[in-house]
Amino acid sequence: MAEDLPVPPLLTGNLAFFFDLDGTLAEIKPHPDQVSIPPEVRAMLKRLSELNDGALALISGRSMKELDNLSLPFRFPLAGVHGAERRDISENTHLVTLPAELVATLQRDLEREMALMPGTELESKGMAFALHYRQAPEFETRILELARTYVRHNTLLALQPGKCVVEIKPKGISKGAAIAAFMDEAPFAGRQPVFVGDDLTDEAGFEVVNQRGGVTIKVGKGDTIAQWRLQSVREVHLWLEKLTLQQEQEKKHITERREGYESLSRSI
Ligand SMILES: [Mg+2]
């Protein structure tokens, strides 16, 4: 349907950037542990963040600990586990949790069930569980049904499907809610939001950013409510490079103009 979305423009003005990580900034790999953001892209993110007064955050299904490791040596504002964890620019952490007893039951039951499906993998994130089946796609239907069973019987839980993964997460959290929370705070508030993402979980983020008159960019194929499209992670990197360069030049012009005025006023 939306396959022919245009390539996003190079943006100007006061912007607030939000990036998904897997499949957006980093290529998807057979196992999540093999994923990395190229060092030059990490440096570019840092530069883009500086050019926009720190208004750049990573919004991911991964835990914040993993996000910090993947963005070394830099440290950005983060939303992890689809927004269940959030760290703002002042280093305050905001957490959504589930009752410990429920987490323990889920852990035990999911481990037992998934042991019967070789090649599937359970990832525990504290307040959420990712049921991976990338290595065993033949279990897709069984895994989805398993996840649905728990969500159907517990009003505290919600389902989050993704690429070869389905997650059980606390109800009410979403990447959209995380972006909205950032947009209420400095240095994001008052800026035009930009969100780049590739997966179903990013659609909630696109919705919030579209509502706020921002720029939404879908990476890769698939239906989306985003306004623009980049075809691959490589295209995201190239777009980022051009964008950072343009913002740097813009800033240089402004500084030169200001210095010009200052030397003019000194000479009068
Ligand atoms: Mg992704």
Side-chain angles (χ1 to χ4, degrees):
M1 187 176 80
E3 289 305 308
D4 49 357
L5 289 175
V7 170
L10 294 175
L11 306 160
T12 56
N14 285 327
L15 301 166
F17 289 95
F18 301 98
F19 293 99
D20 166 55
L21 197 148
D22 293 74
T24 297
L25 294 173
E27 300 284 359
I28 289 175
K29 293 281 155 78
H31 197 275
D33 290 350
Q34 300 163 331
V35 167
S36 67
I37 306 174
E40 66 274 17
V41 175
R42 276 178 262 163
M44 223 148 52
L45 290 172
K46 180 64 181 168
R47 188 70 195 116
L48 197 58
S49 168
E50 285 167 354
L51 287 163
N52 293 277
D53 294 333
L56 184 149
L58 302 179
I59 312 286
S60 170
R62 284 181 184 265
S63 69
M64 294 204 301
K65 193 164 179 270
E66 287 182 311
L67 294 174
D68 271 337
N69 285 336
L70 285 162
S71 35
L72 284 172
F74 309 112
R75 195 171 158 90
F76 300 106
L78 303 172
V81 197
H82 310 288
E85 305 178 320
R86 196 172 71 83
R87 184 179 71 216
D88 63 28
I89 193 115
S90 312
E91 300 275 329
N92 297 313
T93 303
H94 312 259
L95 294 179
V96 176
T97 54
L98 288 174
E101 200 180 314
L102 175 58
V103 170
T105 308
L106 279 169
Q107 175 81 39
R108 192 190 57 227
D109 290 1
L110 289 170
E111 258 174 26
R112 192 188 55 222
E113 294 282 346
M114 289 177 73
L116 305 173
M117 294 180 258
T120 64
E121 198 179 329
L122 177 66
E123 183 191 354
S124 307
K125 302 179 179 184
M127 73 295 278
F129 294 89
L131 287 62
H132 295 277
Y133 53 90
R134 184 170 294 278
Q135 314 284 4
E138 66 274 24
F139 290 119
E140 180 175 18
T141 313
R142 264 177 75 182
I143 286 278
L144 290 176
E145 191 43 47
L146 175 66
R148 272 194 212 107
T149 310
Y150 290 100
V151 172
R152 208 179 287 138
H153 294 111
N154 198 313
T155 52
L156 294 175
L157 303 175
L159 212 64
Q160 179 61 66
K163 288 177 181 165
C164 299
V165 64
V166 61
E167 299 199 40
I168 299 173
K169 63 176 190 178
K171 200 173 218 159
I173 64 154
S174 74
K175 289 191 175 183
I179 291 173
F182 277 121
M183 289 305 294
D184 285 342
E185 303 166 349
F188 299 89
R191 292 172 168 266
Q192 187 186 22
V194 180
F195 181 42
V196 193
D198 72 305
D199 208 347
L200 289 172
T201 170
D202 299 310
E203 295 294 316
F206 293 148
E207 192 179 348
V208 164
V209 172
N210 281 343
Q211 278 164 2
R212 291 175 181 241
V215 176
T216 46
I217 304 170
K218 161 89 174 176
V219 183
K221 292 185 169 43
D223 275 351
T224 181
I225 57 166
Q227 306 148 298
W228 313 90
R229 192 188 301 272
L230 289 166
Q231 295 299 339
S232 61
V233 171
R234 176 79 188 130
E235 276 197 15
V236 174
H237 294 168
L238 292 172
W239 178 74
L240 266 176
E241 193 180 345
K242 284 190 215 149
L243 182 67
T244 310
L245 199 67
Q246 176 180 287
Q247 287 216 334
E248 261 169 357
Q249 282 168 348
E250 224 175 275
K251 190 151 198 167
K252 204 169 146 226
H253 283 154
I254 293 168
T255 313
E256 280 171 0
R257 224 180 304 151
R258 196 185 303 137
E259 281 169 356
Y261 287 138
E262 279 167 7
S263 67
L264 181 67
S265 61
R266 272 198 302 275
S267 64
I268 302 174

